[in-house]
Each structure stands twice: as structure tokens, then as C-alpha cells.
Amino acid sequence: MQPATAARVDQFWDDGYLLLNGFFSPEECDVMKERMALIVEAMDVPAHCRTEFSTEQEEQLQAQGSADYFMTSGDQIRFFFEKGVFGKNGDFLVPKECSLNKVGHALHSLDPVFKNVTHSPHVQELIRKLGLMEPVVVQSMYIFKQPGIGGEVTPHQDATFLHTEPLGKVIGLWIALEDATLDNGCLWFIPGSHKRGVTRRMVRTPEGSMPRTKFIGEERQFGEEEFKPAAVRKGGLVLIHGEVVHRSAKNTSDSSRHAYAFHIMESRNGKWGKENWLQPTAELPFPSLYT
């Protein structure tokens, strides 16, 4: 394991991201992959994902169902699919284990395997080295990046979607469960971009509105030459500052790029944005990372 030395911690705060190869063992990665395979095998695919709608009214109902399914997923384990994986009768056009974009957003609390990983002693030790005093876990997701169809993730900042007051309270932990390479869609970052602030936010719209969210502000334009690749081997951990600009390309290779990721917030002297799409619930308040 690459140790998180004081120099490397400084590097994280300077660059906005940090790669730690060997943070988890290949065996630990396989346990997570095997657990997700069981979750996918038992999944109940919601009707709005399977059904092809033909009238304007039905399309509106589909959009409402999809929006509600996403907006209420913060304390659930739910399934989000790649485009074009269902036929007109709702049947899978690809093996169902190859149809998913991600599973989220409460694996860290509702599944024992992912809960243990999230709260593992070496994760807690790492976050303590960063100086966080009262971190809470706000969301988690399993990302598949399917071979051939794994979609592009355009340049963005996590703080656009996970806003805190003040800024700078969110950190992502991204665990490579398979090698993440230039060919299968590894992450790319703009070093130091977390120091430039956030110019765009996704916020909730008034209750009953469609769409359920909207963007305020404008995203900056970024040059291709600004991005640096962050290829990482199976078991590697990527620390992601909430304001650093990052992206990943479409996976056009024949190799998947599975990852488990979760976000934490320093709750000491920090508040969760009330307009965020994701909100804690009475059933699942944000749990402390250190418990």
C-alpha cells in the first residue's frame, strides 16, 4: 500500500486529487464484486425502466417515475441503467449484469459488505490524516463502466451536485475494483482546479415541479490539454476533492471498469445544502464515518 505520508496529504490539498495504489487488496475487491453480482441477480427492475411509452401522457408519467426513483434513492439501493439496454417489450437486450450504469445511493448503510468497506479502519485512518474531525457519509454508488457501452462522464465538480456551506467540505473516495486504464475509461483531472470555485449548481425545483432539478450558473469551458489521466490498478484508491474538475471517457474497450465510490462531508463547521437533490431522511441520517 502506498502510505498517505504528510507530503502526499499536502499533494492532495494542492492538486485536488490523490492516487493511492494498493489501498485495498485484490481479495477485498473481489468480495465487493461478488456481493454486487448477488445484488444484481436479485434486483427488481422498476417498470419505468422496462416499458416503452408511446403517448405524450405516458412519456410524462415515465419521466415523473424516473425522477421520483432518482430523487428518493438517497436512503435506498436502486438501479440505474445504460441507454438502449431494454427492448420495446421490456426485455434485456444484453445480459442484465451488463446493463447497469450504477447502483446507489445507500450501499454504505444498507449492505453489510459495502458498509464494512466504507467504515474500514484504513479508510478512517486516511481521513483522519486529512484532518477531518466529524466526517459523515452522504452517499455511495457502485459504478460499472460497462465494456463497449459504459457512458462518458463529462467534466464536472462533485460540489455542483453535493453543495455545502461553506464550500470545501466534500471529499470523494473512489475505489478501483478492476484496473482503470486509458482504454476503459479511467478518471482524468485538472490539477489545482479545486481552487477556482464552483460556477454551477444542480438544485431542487419546487415540490411537484417537472423536472425535479435544474442547473443554475454556467459551467466553465476546459481545454483538453488541462486534463491529466489517473490510471490506477485494481485495489487503488483515488481521493477526490469536491471542487476538482474531473471526467472520464466512454468505455469503448472490451474490459469493464468497476468501482465503488462514496462521498463524505466534514460536518464540523459545515452545513449540507438544503437545495441539494440528495437529502438525509429520518430513516437514514448521514452516518458518522468514525463509528
Side-chain angles (χ1 to χ4, degrees), residues 40 88 96 114 143 201:
V40 171
K88 63 181 181 179
K96 68 178 182 178
F114 293 100
I143 306 163
R201 287 181 58 200

Side-chain angles (χ1 to χ4, degrees), residues 9-17 156-159 167-170 189-199 220 222 226 240-246:
V9 168
D10 289 344
Q11 180 185 352
F12 168 72
W13 293 118
D14 190 47
D15 290 343
Y17 69 101
H156 68 283
Q157 297 163 287
D158 292 342
L167 284 171
K169 297 292 185 178
V170 168
F189 292 89
I190 299 180
S193 54
H194 61 301
K195 302 174 184 178
R196 305 177 195 172
V198 176
T199 59
R220 297 187 188 92
F222 308 106
E226 296 182 79
I240 305 173
H241 191 286
E243 292 156 66
V244 72
V245 177
H246 57 291

Side-chain angles (χ1 to χ4, degrees), residues 222-242:
F222 308 106
E224 183 67 25
E225 73 284 353
E226 296 182 79
F227 286 91
K228 307 297 181 186
V232 62
R233 296 188 296 274
K234 178 178 180 177
L237 172 72
V238 185
L239 273 177
I240 305 173
H241 191 286

Side-chain angles (χ1 to χ4, degrees), residues 10 34 36-37 95 107 109 129 133 156 200 233 270 290:
D10 289 344
E34 290 163 6
M36 183 50 61
L107 289 163
S109 281
K129 287 182 177 180
M133 304 300 293
H156 68 283
R200 187 176 72 140
R233 296 188 296 274
Y290 293 155

Side-chain angles (χ1 to χ4, degrees), residues 1-2 20-34 117 120 122-123 175-179 233-237:
M1 179 192 299
Q2 289 180 287
L20 295 170
N21 273 305
F23 196 85
F24 287 91
S25 69
E27 292 76 19
E28 289 173 307
C29 294
D30 289 342
V31 168
M32 285 184 267
K33 289 180 63 179
E34 290 163 6
V117 169
S120 61
H122 45 308
V123 166
I175 304 162
L177 305 184
E178 300 174 319
D179 291 348
R233 296 188 296 274
K234 178 178 180 177
L237 172 72

